[in-house]
Amino acid sequence: MVHNFNAGPSVLPKTVFEQASQAILNFNNTGLSILEIGHRTSLFQNVMDEAIALVKELMQLDSNREVLFLHGGASTQFFQVPMNLLSEGETGAYLDCGTWGTKAIKEAKVFGNVDVVASSKDKNYSYIPKGYTIPAQAKYFHYTSNNTIEGTQMHSIPDSPVPLVADMSSDILSAVLDFNRFDLIYAGAQKNIGAAGVNLVIVNKEILGKVNRKLPSMMDYQQHIANGSMLNTPPVFAVYVCLLTLRWLKEQGGVAAIEKINNKKSELIYNTLDSLPVFKPTVAKEDRSKMNVVFSMENPELEKDFLDLCKKEGMVGIKGHRTVGGFRVSLYNALPLSSVEALTELMKHFALQHA
Ligand code: PMP
Protein backbone atom coordinates (compact mmCIF):
# COMPACT_ATOMS: atom_id res chain seq x y z
CA MET A 1 0.00 0.00 0.00
CA VAL A 2 1.44 3.35 -1.06
CA HIS A 3 0.39 6.62 0.61
CA ASN A 4 1.08 9.43 -1.85
CA PHE A 5 1.80 12.80 -0.18
CA ASN A 6 3.41 14.35 -3.27
CA ALA A 7 3.08 18.10 -3.74
CA GLY A 8 2.20 17.94 -7.43
CA PRO A 9 1.78 16.15 -9.70
CA SER A 10 0.05 14.32 -6.92
CA VAL A 11 -2.50 11.74 -5.92
CA LEU A 12 -5.70 11.47 -7.99
CA PRO A 13 -8.67 9.19 -7.34
CA LYS A 14 -8.04 5.56 -8.27
CA THR A 15 -11.26 5.50 -10.30
CA VAL A 16 -9.86 8.36 -12.39
CA PHE A 17 -6.76 6.31 -13.22
CA GLU A 18 -8.93 3.32 -14.15
CA GLN A 19 -11.28 5.34 -16.36
CA ALA A 20 -8.40 7.24 -17.98
CA SER A 21 -6.61 3.94 -18.72
CA GLN A 22 -9.76 2.52 -20.28
CA ALA A 23 -10.19 5.66 -22.42
CA ILE A 24 -6.68 5.23 -23.82
CA LEU A 25 -7.69 1.79 -25.06
CA ASN A 26 -11.28 2.43 -26.09
CA PHE A 27 -12.87 5.81 -25.53
CA ASN A 28 -16.63 5.63 -24.86
CA ASN A 29 -16.91 2.37 -26.85
CA THR A 30 -15.86 4.11 -30.06
CA GLY A 31 -13.08 1.65 -30.78
CA LEU A 32 -10.76 4.66 -30.74
CA SER A 33 -8.32 5.88 -28.12
CA ILE A 34 -8.87 9.29 -26.49
CA LEU A 35 -5.34 9.96 -27.81
CA GLU A 36 -6.35 9.58 -31.45
CA ILE A 37 -9.63 11.48 -31.76
CA GLY A 38 -9.69 14.93 -33.33
CA HIS A 39 -10.26 17.79 -30.92
CA ARG A 40 -12.92 19.25 -33.27
CA THR A 41 -15.03 16.08 -33.12
CA SER A 42 -18.24 16.08 -31.14
CA LEU A 43 -16.61 13.36 -29.00
CA PHE A 44 -14.04 15.79 -27.63
CA GLN A 45 -16.32 18.83 -27.76
CA ASN A 46 -18.55 16.97 -25.28
CA VAL A 47 -15.54 16.43 -22.98
CA MET A 48 -14.65 20.13 -23.04
CA ASP A 49 -18.27 21.26 -22.60
CA GLU A 50 -18.88 18.97 -19.64
CA ALA A 51 -15.59 19.92 -17.95
CA ILE A 52 -16.42 23.64 -18.26
CA ALA A 53 -19.99 23.08 -17.03
CA LEU A 54 -18.74 21.10 -14.01
CA VAL A 55 -16.29 23.85 -13.02
CA LYS A 56 -19.14 26.40 -13.20
CA GLU A 57 -21.41 24.16 -11.16
CA LEU A 58 -18.88 23.10 -8.50
CA MET A 59 -17.62 26.67 -8.01
CA GLN A 60 -21.10 28.22 -8.40
CA LEU A 61 -19.83 30.78 -10.89
CA ASP A 62 -22.05 33.58 -12.14
CA SER A 63 -22.69 34.27 -15.82
CA ASN A 64 -19.89 36.86 -16.11
CA ARG A 65 -17.25 34.24 -15.34
CA GLU A 66 -15.69 32.40 -18.27
CA VAL A 67 -13.93 29.08 -17.75
CA LEU A 68 -10.87 28.28 -19.86
CA PHE A 69 -8.56 25.29 -20.12
CA LEU A 70 -5.23 26.64 -21.37
CA HIS A 71 -1.72 25.37 -22.01
CA GLY A 72 1.40 26.23 -20.16
CA GLY A 73 1.03 25.59 -16.45
CA ALA A 74 0.49 28.24 -13.81
CA SER A 75 3.86 29.78 -14.65
CA THR A 76 2.42 30.95 -17.99
CA GLN A 77 -0.29 32.81 -16.07
CA PHE A 78 2.41 34.73 -14.19
CA PHE A 79 2.91 36.71 -17.44
CA GLN A 80 -0.39 36.18 -19.26
CA VAL A 81 -2.22 37.98 -16.44
CA PRO A 82 -0.21 41.24 -16.62
CA MET A 83 -0.08 41.04 -20.43
CA ASN A 84 -3.90 41.12 -20.53
CA LEU A 85 -4.59 43.44 -17.59
CA LEU A 86 -1.69 45.88 -17.27
CA SER A 87 -0.76 48.55 -19.83
CA GLU A 88 2.77 49.97 -19.75
CA GLY A 89 2.98 52.61 -17.02
CA GLU A 90 0.08 51.10 -15.05
CA THR A 91 0.53 49.36 -11.72
CA GLY A 92 -0.40 45.91 -10.48
CA ALA A 93 -0.48 45.39 -6.70
CA TYR A 94 1.03 42.13 -5.44
CA LEU A 95 1.26 40.35 -2.12
CA ASP A 96 4.68 38.75 -1.72
CA CYS A 97 3.92 35.72 0.44
CA GLY A 98 5.93 32.87 -1.04
CA THR A 99 8.17 31.47 -3.76
CA TRP A 100 5.46 31.33 -6.43
CA GLY A 101 4.21 34.84 -5.74
CA THR A 102 7.77 36.10 -6.07
CA LYS A 103 7.93 34.56 -9.53
CA ALA A 104 4.61 36.17 -10.48
CA ILE A 105 5.99 39.56 -9.39
CA LYS A 106 9.11 39.11 -11.52
CA GLU A 107 7.07 38.36 -14.64
CA ALA A 108 4.61 41.24 -14.07
CA LYS A 109 7.51 43.70 -14.06
CA VAL A 110 8.08 42.88 -17.73
CA PHE A 111 4.73 44.48 -18.59
CA GLY A 112 4.11 47.28 -16.09
CA ASN A 113 4.84 48.60 -12.62
CA VAL A 114 4.52 46.40 -9.58
CA ASP A 115 3.60 47.64 -6.14
CA VAL A 116 4.45 45.00 -3.54
CA VAL A 117 1.94 45.92 -0.83
CA ALA A 118 3.40 43.58 1.81
CA SER A 119 5.92 40.77 2.11
CA SER A 120 6.72 37.98 4.52
CA LYS A 121 10.20 37.47 3.09
CA ASP A 122 11.68 38.69 6.41
CA LYS A 123 10.73 35.37 8.02
CA ASN A 124 11.22 33.04 5.05
CA TYR A 125 7.55 33.34 4.10
CA SER A 126 6.45 31.50 7.23
CA TYR A 127 3.37 33.69 7.70
CA ILE A 128 0.82 35.63 5.64
CA PRO A 129 1.24 39.42 5.83
CA LYS A 130 -1.75 41.32 7.27
CA GLY A 131 -2.84 44.91 7.78
CA TYR A 132 -1.68 46.21 4.40
CA THR A 133 -3.50 48.66 2.14
CA ILE A 134 -4.27 47.87 -1.48
CA PRO A 135 -3.86 51.06 -3.53
CA ALA A 136 -7.08 52.10 -5.27
CA GLN A 137 -5.22 53.19 -8.41
CA ALA A 138 -3.77 49.70 -9.02
CA LYS A 139 -5.25 47.77 -11.95
CA TYR A 140 -5.61 44.63 -9.86
CA PHE A 141 -4.41 42.92 -6.68
CA HIS A 142 -2.66 39.55 -7.05
CA TYR A 143 -1.97 36.96 -4.38
CA THR A 144 -1.21 33.26 -4.02
CA SER A 145 -4.02 31.68 -2.00
CA ASN A 146 -1.91 28.72 -0.86
CA ASN A 147 1.86 28.67 -0.70
CA THR A 148 2.68 25.13 -1.77
CA ILE A 149 6.34 25.29 -0.80
CA GLU A 150 6.19 27.18 2.51
CA GLY A 151 2.88 25.71 3.75
CA THR A 152 0.87 28.87 4.43
CA GLN A 153 -2.64 29.68 3.22
CA MET A 154 -4.94 32.70 3.10
CA HIS A 155 -7.98 31.80 5.18
CA SER A 156 -10.15 34.70 4.05
CA ILE A 157 -10.55 36.75 0.90
CA PRO A 158 -9.05 40.23 1.33
CA ASP A 159 -11.27 43.26 0.83
CA SER A 160 -9.97 44.91 -2.28
CA PRO A 161 -10.91 48.19 -3.97
CA VAL A 162 -9.57 46.79 -7.26
CA PRO A 163 -10.12 43.50 -9.19
CA LEU A 164 -8.83 40.45 -7.35
CA VAL A 165 -6.53 37.97 -9.08
CA ALA A 166 -5.49 34.75 -7.35
CA ASP A 167 -3.11 31.92 -8.08
CA MET A 168 -5.08 29.01 -6.58
CA SER A 169 -2.89 26.26 -8.02
CA SER A 170 -2.62 24.32 -4.80
CA ASP A 171 -5.96 24.87 -3.07
CA ILE A 172 -8.60 25.35 -5.75
CA LEU A 173 -11.77 23.28 -5.21
CA SER A 174 -10.60 22.27 -1.71
CA ALA A 175 -12.96 24.50 0.27
CA VAL A 176 -16.07 26.58 -0.31
CA LEU A 177 -15.28 30.18 -1.26
CA ASP A 178 -17.22 32.93 -2.94
CA PHE A 179 -15.32 32.47 -6.18
CA ASN A 180 -17.36 35.26 -7.80
CA ARG A 181 -15.43 37.78 -5.73
CA PHE A 182 -12.41 37.13 -7.94
CA ASP A 183 -11.99 38.68 -11.36
CA LEU A 184 -9.36 36.18 -12.35
CA ILE A 185 -8.40 32.82 -10.86
CA TYR A 186 -5.79 30.51 -12.29
CA ALA A 187 -4.51 27.11 -11.28
CA GLY A 188 -2.21 24.48 -12.75
CA ALA A 189 -4.26 21.28 -12.88
CA GLN A 190 -1.76 18.89 -11.36
CA LYS A 191 -2.97 19.01 -7.74
CA ASN A 192 -6.74 19.19 -7.20
CA ILE A 193 -8.01 19.34 -10.79
CA GLY A 194 -6.33 16.60 -12.79
CA ALA A 195 -3.23 15.86 -14.82
CA ALA A 196 -0.31 18.20 -15.50
CA GLY A 197 -0.27 19.97 -18.85
CA VAL A 198 -3.29 22.19 -18.50
CA ASN A 199 -4.28 25.30 -16.61
CA LEU A 200 -7.71 26.24 -15.37
CA VAL A 201 -8.43 29.96 -15.79
CA ILE A 202 -11.63 31.62 -14.61
CA VAL A 203 -12.01 35.20 -15.70
CA ASN A 204 -14.62 37.92 -15.43
CA LYS A 205 -14.97 38.99 -19.05
CA GLU A 206 -15.77 42.58 -17.97
CA ILE A 207 -12.12 43.23 -17.09
CA LEU A 208 -10.72 42.19 -20.47
CA GLY A 209 -9.95 44.17 -23.61
CA LYS A 210 -8.65 47.25 -21.81
CA VAL A 211 -4.88 47.08 -22.32
CA ASN A 212 -3.30 49.13 -25.09
CA ARG A 213 -0.72 46.57 -26.23
CA LYS A 214 -1.17 44.08 -29.06
CA LEU A 215 -1.49 40.52 -27.81
CA PRO A 216 -0.37 37.37 -29.60
CA SER A 217 -3.55 35.34 -30.17
CA MET A 218 -2.44 32.50 -27.91
CA MET A 219 -1.89 34.98 -25.06
CA ASP A 220 -5.24 36.75 -25.48
CA TYR A 221 -7.93 35.56 -23.05
CA GLN A 222 -10.66 37.11 -25.23
CA GLN A 223 -9.64 34.99 -28.21
CA HIS A 224 -9.61 31.85 -26.07
CA ILE A 225 -13.09 32.70 -24.80
CA ALA A 226 -14.37 33.31 -28.34
CA ASN A 227 -12.96 29.91 -29.37
CA GLY A 228 -14.11 27.90 -26.36
CA SER A 229 -10.56 27.00 -25.25
CA MET A 230 -9.93 25.57 -28.72
CA LEU A 231 -7.96 28.31 -30.40
CA ASN A 232 -5.49 25.56 -31.20
CA THR A 233 -5.24 21.87 -30.26
CA PRO A 234 -5.94 21.69 -26.54
CA PRO A 235 -4.10 19.20 -24.30
CA VAL A 236 -6.82 16.65 -25.01
CA PHE A 237 -5.83 13.93 -22.57
CA ALA A 238 -5.07 16.35 -19.71
CA VAL A 239 -8.50 17.97 -20.16
CA TYR A 240 -10.10 14.52 -20.14
CA VAL A 241 -8.39 13.64 -16.84
CA CYS A 242 -9.71 16.94 -15.44
CA LEU A 243 -13.22 15.97 -16.52
CA LEU A 244 -12.93 12.60 -14.75
CA THR A 245 -11.60 14.26 -11.58
CA LEU A 246 -14.36 16.90 -11.64
CA ARG A 247 -16.99 14.16 -12.03
CA TRP A 248 -15.43 12.35 -9.06
CA LEU A 249 -15.56 15.52 -6.97
CA LYS A 250 -19.24 15.98 -7.79
CA GLU A 251 -19.92 12.35 -6.79
CA GLN A 252 -18.25 13.00 -3.43
CA GLY A 253 -20.83 15.73 -2.80
CA GLY A 254 -18.91 18.64 -4.30
CA VAL A 255 -16.64 21.22 -2.72
CA ALA A 256 -18.53 21.49 0.59
CA ALA A 257 -18.28 17.74 1.17
CA ILE A 258 -14.59 17.54 0.28
CA GLU A 259 -13.88 20.54 2.53
CA LYS A 260 -15.20 18.58 5.52
CA ILE A 261 -12.83 15.70 4.78
CA ASN A 262 -9.94 18.10 4.10
CA ASN A 263 -10.58 19.74 7.49
CA LYS A 264 -10.47 16.36 9.21
CA LYS A 265 -7.19 15.48 7.50
CA SER A 266 -5.45 18.75 8.35
CA GLU A 267 -6.77 18.80 11.94
CA LEU A 268 -5.52 15.28 12.50
CA ILE A 269 -2.01 15.98 11.29
CA TYR A 270 -1.59 19.39 12.97
CA ASN A 271 -2.98 18.05 16.27
CA THR A 272 -0.53 15.17 16.06
CA LEU A 273 2.41 17.47 15.28
CA ASP A 274 1.46 19.81 18.16
CA SER A 275 1.25 16.93 20.61
CA LEU A 276 4.64 15.41 19.76
CA PRO A 277 7.64 17.52 20.82
CA VAL A 278 10.03 15.80 18.38
CA PHE A 279 8.25 17.53 15.51
CA LYS A 280 8.30 21.26 14.87
CA PRO A 281 5.65 22.85 12.63
CA THR A 282 7.34 25.79 10.93
CA VAL A 283 4.61 28.27 10.01
CA ALA A 284 2.45 30.73 11.98
CA LYS A 285 -0.45 28.79 13.48
CA GLU A 286 -3.22 31.01 12.09
CA ASP A 287 -1.78 30.76 8.57
CA ARG A 288 -1.26 27.01 8.41
CA SER A 289 -2.14 25.47 5.07
CA LYS A 290 -4.76 22.75 4.92
CA MET A 291 -3.17 21.45 1.71
CA ASN A 292 0.60 21.42 2.41
CA VAL A 293 1.74 20.74 5.95
CA VAL A 294 5.34 21.86 6.45
CA PHE A 295 7.39 20.90 9.49
CA SER A 296 10.87 20.01 10.64
CA MET A 297 12.32 18.29 13.69
CA GLU A 298 13.66 19.65 16.94
CA ASN A 299 16.70 17.47 16.37
CA PRO A 300 17.58 17.71 12.64
CA GLU A 301 19.75 14.62 12.96
CA LEU A 302 16.58 12.54 13.28
CA GLU A 303 15.13 13.74 9.99
CA LYS A 304 16.84 11.06 7.92
CA ASP A 305 15.63 8.33 10.29
CA PHE A 306 12.05 9.51 9.97
CA LEU A 307 12.33 9.73 6.19
CA ASP A 308 13.72 6.19 6.04
CA LEU A 309 10.92 4.89 8.23
CA CYS A 310 8.31 6.59 6.05
CA LYS A 311 9.86 5.12 2.94
CA LYS A 312 9.80 1.65 4.49
CA GLU A 313 6.10 2.05 5.32
CA GLY A 314 5.14 3.19 1.82
CA MET A 315 4.79 6.93 2.56
CA VAL A 316 5.81 8.77 -0.59
CA GLY A 317 6.60 12.43 -1.20
CA ILE A 318 7.04 13.81 2.31
CA LYS A 319 10.50 15.32 1.89
CA GLY A 320 10.33 19.11 2.14
CA HIS A 321 11.01 21.35 -0.85
CA ARG A 322 14.76 21.69 -1.45
CA THR A 323 14.61 25.43 -0.59
CA VAL A 324 12.87 24.87 2.78
CA GLY A 325 14.12 21.47 3.97
CA GLY A 326 12.37 19.36 6.60
CA PHE A 327 9.10 17.77 5.56
CA ARG A 328 6.07 18.62 3.51
CA VAL A 329 2.93 16.51 3.59
CA SER A 330 0.40 17.37 0.89
CA LEU A 331 -3.24 16.64 1.59
CA TYR A 332 -4.97 17.32 -1.71
CA ASN A 333 -8.59 16.37 -2.33
CA ALA A 334 -7.89 12.85 -3.57
CA LEU A 335 -5.72 11.87 -0.59
CA PRO A 336 -7.85 9.61 1.64
CA LEU A 337 -8.17 10.27 5.37
CA SER A 338 -6.80 6.74 5.91
CA SER A 339 -3.42 7.86 4.52
CA VAL A 340 -3.25 10.67 7.07
CA GLU A 341 -4.25 8.22 9.80
CA ALA A 342 -1.44 5.89 8.74
CA LEU A 343 1.11 8.71 8.74
CA THR A 344 0.06 10.11 12.13
CA GLU A 345 0.27 6.62 13.66
CA LEU A 346 3.80 6.36 12.30
CA MET A 347 4.65 9.78 13.75
CA LYS A 348 3.43 8.69 17.20
CA HIS A 349 5.41 5.49 16.97
CA PHE A 350 8.56 7.40 15.96
CA ALA A 351 8.06 9.95 18.75
CA LEU A 352 7.77 7.18 21.33
CA GLN A 353 10.98 5.61 20.10
CA HIS A 354 12.83 8.93 20.31
CA ALA A 355 11.24 10.39 23.43
N1 PMP B 1 1.78 28.50 -8.32
C1 PMP B 1 1.70 27.61 -7.32
C2 PMP B 1 0.98 28.01 -6.06
C3 PMP B 1 2.29 26.36 -7.44
O1 PMP B 1 2.23 25.48 -6.43
C4 PMP B 1 2.96 26.03 -8.65
C5 PMP B 1 3.60 24.67 -8.89
N2 PMP B 1 3.70 23.82 -7.87
C6 PMP B 1 3.03 26.99 -9.66
C7 PMP B 1 2.41 28.19 -9.47
C8 PMP B 1 3.73 26.70 -10.97
O2 PMP B 1 2.99 25.80 -11.68
P1 PMP B 1 3.47 25.17 -13.05
O3 PMP B 1 4.59 24.25 -12.75
O4 PMP B 1 2.23 24.46 -13.53
O5 PMP B 1 3.87 26.27 -13.95
Side-chain angles (χ1 to χ4, degrees):
M1 171 87 196
V2 173
H3 300 284
N4 183 359
F5 299 100
N6 273 320
S10 43
V11 60
L12 289 174
K14 193 158 183 286
T15 52
V16 168
F17 293 136
E18 285 161 356
Q19 292 163 1
S21 308
Q22 180 54 35
I24 288 181
L25 297 170
N26 180 5
F27 175 61
N28 283 2
N29 287 321
T30 53
L32 294 166
S33 167
I34 179 77
L35 301 178
E36 62 180 342
I37 57 170
H39 60 289
R40 308 265 174 218
T41 58
S42 62
L43 286 171
F44 185 72
Q45 187 65 56
N46 291 341
V47 169
M48 185 63 95
D49 290 348
E50 188 186 342
I52 290 173
L54 275 170
V55 170
K56 288 185 178 168
E57 181 185 337
L58 289 163
M59 297 176 77
Q60 300 189 11
L61 300 176
D62 67 27
S63 58
N64 273 336
R65 264 84 195 154
E66 296 284 348
V67 173
L68 298 170
F69 284 96
L70 303 180
H71 299 267
S75 303
T76 299
Q77 294 309 307
F78 294 163
F79 64 85
Q80 195 166 356
V81 165
M83 235 176 160
N84 279 264
L85 302 185
L86 204 58
S87 295
E88 219 180 308
E90 292 179 340
T91 299
Y94 279 72
L95 188 67
D96 176 30
C97 56
T99 307
W100 295 112
T102 308
K103 290 183 198 269
I105 289 169
K106 177 170 176 252
E107 302 299 300
K109 284 179 179 166
V110 176
F111 298 99
N113 303 324
V114 170
D115 182 352
V116 177
V117 298
S119 171
S120 49
K121 193 174 179 195
D122 58 339
K123 290 188 181 159
N124 295 325
Y125 299 115
S126 60
Y127 69 101
I128 299 282
K130 294 163 197 84
Y132 48 83
T133 307
I134 302 165
Q137 70 278 14
K139 281 294 170 198
Y140 60 86
F141 174 59
H142 175 287
Y143 69 92
T144 316
S145 57
N146 183 73
N147 294 288
T148 325
I149 293 176
E150 294 84 2
T152 60
Q153 188 175 21
M154 297 275 266
H155 293 301
S156 60
I157 305 174
D159 278 323
S160 171
V162 297
L164 267 181
V165 177
D167 173 359
M168 294 194 187
S169 294
S170 50
D171 65 352
I172 195 159
L173 294 167
S174 67
V176 175
L177 269 188
D178 183 357
F179 294 104
N180 294 312
R181 281 185 58 194
F182 296 87
D183 289 279
L184 200 150
I185 294 169
Y186 62 89
Q190 63 269 27
K191 298 154 199 312
N192 278 337
I193 311 169
V198 68
N199 244 325
L200 176 64
V201 175
I202 296 153
V203 59
N204 175 3
K205 49 184 186 256
E206 304 286 320
I207 65 167
L208 300 176
K210 296 180 182 163
V211 280
N212 55 19
R213 74 171 55 82
K214 285 189 181 153
L215 295 169
S217 304
M218 281 296 287
M219 285 296 115
D220 186 344
Y221 292 127
Q222 284 186 314
Q223 292 211 40
H224 284 291
I225 293 169
N227 288 277
S229 293
M230 297 231 229
L231 193 53
N232 73 330
T233 314
V236 170
F237 188 61
V239 173
Y240 183 63
V241 176
C242 291
L243 169 62
L244 296 176
T245 311
L246 292 162
R247 278 184 189 157
W248 170 85
L249 181 55
K250 187 174 169 182
E251 280 161 20
Q252 306 308 300
V255 180
I258 212 77
E259 178 177 11
K260 282 197 187 131
I261 302 170
N262 286 338
N263 284 342
K264 275 194 191 155
K265 292 187 297 191
S266 61
E267 275 162 27
L268 178 58
I269 190 155
Y270 282 118
N271 287 342
T272 306
L273 285 169
D274 288 337
S275 70
L276 302 173
V278 279
F279 296 104
K280 195 170 79 172
T282 47
V283 311
K285 228 173 184 171
E286 70 275 17
D287 302 323
R288 286 174 170 180
S289 167
K290 295 182 182 185
M291 292 282 105
N292 311 98
V293 179
V294 174
F295 58 96
S296 59
M297 280 187 169
E298 281 299 342
N299 175 3
E301 282 172 14
L302 290 181
E303 289 188 0
K304 189 177 171 304
D305 293 352
F306 185 61
L307 259 185
D308 288 346
L309 177 66
C310 288
K311 205 170 164 190
K312 198 171 131 247
E313 298 297 324
M315 313 272 164
V316 174
I318 69 158
K319 199 171 185 327
H321 191 268
R322 62 196 143 76
T323 57
V324 176
F327 303 93
R328 170 175 52 173
V329 171
S330 297
L331 310 176
Y332 300 122
N333 285 354
L335 183 85
L337 178 61
S338 55
S339 288
V340 185
E341 286 166 348
L343 177 62
T344 50
E345 283 310 309
L346 202 63
M347 285 172 154
K348 287 185 209 158
H349 172 75
F350 184 84
L352 260 182
Q353 278 188 326
H354 296 88

